[in-house]
Amino acid sequence: MGAPVLNGPFTMPMFRSFVPRKLQPWIYVVFAFMFQMSGGVYLGALNEMVGGHSLMREDLQMCLYANLAGMAIYFPVLFRMKFRFTNKTLLTASALGILLCSLAAPHITFLPLLWAVCFVEGICKIQGTFECMSTIQLWMTPKRDFTVFFPLLHIIILGSMQLSDLLTTYLMYHFHWTYMHLYTAGTMLVMLTVLTCCVRHFRFMRKFPLYGIDWLGGALWAALLLEVAALFDYGEYLDWWNSPVTWQLAAVIVVNLIFCVWRMLTIRHPYLDPKIWTYRHYLPLLGLITLVEMILGTEHVLEELFYEGVMHYEAMVSVTTDWYALGGILAGCLFAYWWMHIKGYNYLRLIIIGMTTLTVYLIGFYLTVSSELHISQLAPMIVCRSFAYAILSATFMVCLEEMMTFQHFFQGLSVFNMLHMIVGGVIGGAIYSRMINYYVPDNMARYGASVDSVAVSRSHIDLATFMQEFTTQVMEISIKQIYGWVIYLSAGLLLLFLLYDTPVHHTLKLMPYWKTLAGEVKQNIWRMRNRKI
């Protein structure tokens, strides 16, 4: 995935001679963390940004999807850029792009421009991360073993997400939400200084021109991805199909999809090669990651609603759960490394372990959702959720790499990440938001009928306090109902994997078709007749 294997020990010839050799790869690890902790906007300060910019929650969530879309759509171009420009040029351009976007984003209120800035920041983010990790890949695994590389890579990716959320909340609480953007800009300045002083331009092969890239096709796929994200992000706000805007957006999505497919099938070098869809198990893998991301959408909808609507936690309290998540991520990545690389066990059974842990997380939340819960009691469920997510993410990446050739791997990875980072999560979030808006009024109507204002006044109970507790309990019941439905989905998916991996499936012969049996019977009869003759 990086530079070709060099003779002798691992070296980084782009560094100047005065930089200690043992320190060189660790500098790029720190750079990777810096890139991954950056973002166009930081949802840890979502409520403050809503008030500061007079924007809706959906507007800022769309900024996140634009950032992720920039990352997902750029994968097919990464190696072409690596073969065209030097390591120093790519890292400098990425750091400078993130620096400018971080300084500009807090002051932009025009939504299309803010989304464009977040999209560009996502491109710079994935370019910088890829350049760092591909350069030190042979240091991480000299044999280019992806069962080593992907688990360690996900420690950086998933760990940075939690650290970024923690840092955003702390800076917002003690200073202002814009300080996270200033912090990111500061880290990029440090990176640019190190690159200027310690890194030189170096080419490990002759440069290749950027001919043959279907930029228009990439723009069409990016537009399609953003349109799908906007449909499900704003769907509840627009009241879904009762709004003409929703119908118009759906029509635009269909037309854009037709253009994307037509261009993919007709031009010589499409942005996404049609052959990627023909690989065995690729489409089932895409469906599986979409379902898993839909299930994990509970983290961003139901858990946050539980913290705010039932427990009434402040940001500094609820953010402490990120420490539990960080521990689960580290444990999950190391377990995946141990399972796949050290023991060499079956990938399917590792996925089963991940789905089992995910189901345990859902059941745990279903059984413990209560306004009397202490935050420390949430630790086992959050660790299970993060453990499962780390295992499944790393394992799916390894499976994708093994099923596809290098020629199509990054194109397949681009589609995979479209569903992994955006589509699955936004669809799951839209479904849970819709269910919340159905179950809360429904439960209010069902249980509210038993509230007698006359009896309440006679019992000398404060009606305002009583209604507040009643609303909290209704919210609690609604969240528990939705968790119950998600448990059915997760348990059903787990059952399918268990049935597929059952020993009978591997030890017993398949039953022959009736036509095959009839042919064998006819052949036996013909042999018997010939013997009599």
Side-chain angles (χ1 to χ4, degrees), residues 1 20 31 60 99 117 157 170 174 223 226 228 246 270 306 401 424:
M1 189 173 173
F31 283 179
L60 296 174
L99 171 64
V117 167
I157 295 175
Y170 290 146
H174 293 288
L226 292 172
V228 171
T246 307
F306 174 68
E401 189 275 331

Side-chain angles (χ1 to χ4, degrees), residues 487-518:
I487 288 171
Y488 285 137
L489 174 61
S490 181
L493 199 57
L494 174 61
L495 182 60
L496 289 178
F497 277 106
L498 291 173
L499 290 174
Y500 186 81
D501 192 52
T502 182
V504 175
H505 176 79
H506 299 287
T507 56
L508 297 183
K509 294 181 180 179
L510 296 175
M511 290 294 293
Y513 292 106
W514 288 112
K515 291 183 179 180
T516 305
L517 292 174

Side-chain angles (χ1 to χ4, degrees), residues 283-323:
L283 293 178
L285 183 64
L286 295 181
L288 177 60
I289 190 59
T290 304
L291 289 175
V292 168
E293 287 294 335
M294 288 172 62
I295 293 172
L296 286 166
T298 56
E299 174 190 356
H300 304 292
V301 179
L302 300 184
E303 282 189 37
E304 291 183 5
L305 187 62
F306 174 68
Y307 297 152
E308 297 178 6
V310 177
M311 303 302 296
H312 306 291
Y313 287 151
E314 293 184 355
M316 286 295 291
V317 178
S318 59
V319 78
T320 56
T321 59
D322 285 342
W323 292 111

Side-chain angles (χ1 to χ4, degrees), residues 264-451:
M264 180 177 65
L265 297 175
T266 54
I267 71 170
R268 185 177 180 182
H269 298 291
Y271 195 78
L272 298 178
D273 197 316
K275 293 181 180 179
I276 66 175
W277 309 102
T278 62
Y279 283 90
R280 187 185 180 189
H281 302 312
Y282 182 59
L283 293 178
L285 183 64
L286 295 181
L288 177 60
I289 190 59
T290 304
L291 289 175
V292 168
E293 287 294 335
M294 288 172 62
I295 293 172
L296 286 166
T298 56
E299 174 190 356
H300 304 292
V301 179
L302 300 184
E303 282 189 37
E304 291 183 5
L305 187 62
F306 174 68
Y307 297 152
E308 297 178 6
V310 177
M311 303 302 296
H312 306 291
Y313 287 151
E314 293 184 355
M316 286 295 291
V317 178
S318 59
V319 78
T320 56
T321 59
D322 285 342
W323 292 111
Y324 306 141
L326 195 59
I329 287 168
L330 183 60
C333 291
L334 293 179
F335 181 81
Y337 168 80
W338 174 81
W339 183 281
M340 293 187 291
H341 179 70
I342 296 179
K343 292 298 183 181
Y345 290 155
N346 187 287
Y347 296 162
L348 178 62
R349 292 178 183 174
L350 183 57
I351 295 176
I352 290 174
I353 292 174
M355 289 303 305
T356 303
T357 313
L358 182 58
T359 307
V360 169
Y361 147 71
L362 296 170
I363 295 174
F365 253 101
Y366 177 81
L367 295 176
T368 57
V369 165
S370 171
S371 58
E372 300 176 357
L373 194 68
H374 190 270
I375 192 169
S376 61
Q377 295 175 268
L378 297 172
M381 286 79 74
I382 295 173
V383 169
C384 284
R385 183 243 296 159
S386 303
F387 182 83
Y389 189 46
I391 285 178
L392 294 173
S393 298
T395 309
F396 288 154
M397 286 284 194
V398 173
C399 292
L400 183 66
E401 189 275 331
E402 292 201 358
M403 74 172 61
M404 306 189 80
T405 62
F406 177 79
Q407 178 185 0
H408 298 125
F409 172 63
F410 278 86
Q411 295 181 6
L413 188 60
S414 179
V415 179
F416 175 86
N417 280 309
M418 290 179 192
L419 302 176
H420 176 43
M421 295 193 296
I422 304 172
V423 176
V426 73
I427 291 177
I431 293 173
Y432 300 142
S433 298
R434 184 61 179 170
M435 294 176 75
I436 281 290
N437 288 337
Y438 170 79
Y439 278 115
V440 170
D442 182 68
N443 289 325
M444 279 283 190
R446 291 176 185 272
Y447 297 105
S450 62
V451 178

